[in-house]
Amino acid sequence: MCEVVAAGSFRTAAQRLGYTPSAVSQQISTVERALGVQLFERSPRSVRPTPAGLQLARRAGRLLADLTATEKRCVPTPPPSADGCGWAVSGPRGSGWCRRC
């Protein structure tokens, strides 16, 4: 989604992501059907996000950035006890173990 918005075409987004343009287009169509809203205006050579598509892309971009930041803070390690999930988390408030809650 975000890559299609940035690239302006399924073809360029697909090249950047390592997929076929058809696969990217089909995935976007699947999301559009699931949400019941058109996310892109399509023309023969480009695609433009609709207002809903732009809003979704912005939110998805923030979520991906948060996920990337979280992954950088987590290091797989053996859990200290049976109820630990096996991820040590470090950050501005110190280090600790992620617990399964």
Side-chain angles (χ1 to χ4, degrees):
M1 173 78 195
C2 296
E3 196 62 48
V4 175
V5 171
S9 77
F10 292 131
R11 185 176 147 285
T12 302
Q15 287 174 337
R16 292 177 184 174
L17 296 169
Y19 294 103
T20 65
S22 176
V24 172
S25 176
Q26 288 175 13
Q27 286 297 313
I28 296 295
S29 293
T30 298
V31 173
E32 288 175 325
R33 282 191 303 277
L35 296 176
V37 65
Q38 185 177 354
L39 300 173
F40 289 93
E41 295 175 5
R42 293 155 172 84
S43 70
R45 294 197 176 261
S46 68
V47 293
R48 285 193 343 245
T50 63
L54 194 54
Q55 182 180 20
L56 180 60
R58 286 179 181 152
R59 288 177 182 239
R62 286 193 299 266
L63 288 170
L64 290 171
D66 286 348
L67 177 60
T68 299
T70 300
E71 286 176 333
K72 288 180 181 179
R73 291 179 44 211
C74 294
V75 180
T77 58
S81 65
D83 59 348
C85 74
W87 289 94
V89 181
S90 63
R93 296 185 181 176
S95 299
W97 289 95
C98 178
R99 298 280 180 204
R100 291 183 184 167
C101 300

